[in-house]
Amino acid sequence: MYDKSINLHDIKAKYSSYDTAFLEQELKKSLDTNDKKIIVLDDDPTGVQTVHGINVYTDWSKESISEGFDEDNSMFFILTNSRAFTEEQTISVHKEIALNILSVSNKKQKDFIL
């Protein structure tokens, strides 16, 4: 139940020359009308230091992901620390996370953006 229609390359091409205030206004409108949960995978613990008012989960259990889906916030972070993993470990962990997110998303009938 994730949105495949968002393509960052297309967005950047459309706004190659952009008005920051306009884009911030458009982003705010989009977030205000967004009905999908935004889930951010953070591969390094130093990245979440800039996050304010958004929960960061340090595990990717279905229970934690379910809590993230139940939050009033439209977004939550999952700290993977995968930067410290081997390629094989990273692939395995990201597959596990994706399957857990899909399971919770289907159970709650709530779409998401990862």
Side-chain angles (χ1 to χ4, degrees), residues 52-114:
H52 302 282
I54 299 174
N55 284 330
V56 178
Y57 295 90
T58 57
D59 72 89
W60 43 87
S61 66
K62 289 180 184 176
E63 293 79 16
S64 291
I65 293 168
S66 183
E67 286 179 29
F69 269 87
D70 290 342
E71 294 176 2
D72 288 336
N73 282 337
S74 62
M75 175 188 295
F76 67 94
F77 278 61
I78 298 174
L79 177 60
T80 67
N81 201 25
S82 57
R83 185 176 288 189
F85 295 167
T86 65
E87 181 179 357
E88 293 79 18
Q89 289 171 316
T90 301
I91 291 168
S92 175
V93 163
H94 286 182
K95 284 181 180 178
E96 180 183 348
I97 293 169
L99 290 172
N100 286 350
I101 291 170
L102 282 170
S103 175
V104 172
S105 170
N106 288 332
K107 183 176 181 180
K108 295 189 174 287
Q109 294 295 296
K110 174 80 174 168
D111 286 335
F112 65 92
I113 300 170
L114 182 61

Side-chain angles (χ1 to χ4, degrees), residues 15 19 25 31 53:
Y15 297 103
D19 175 347
Q25 180 183 16
L31 289 174

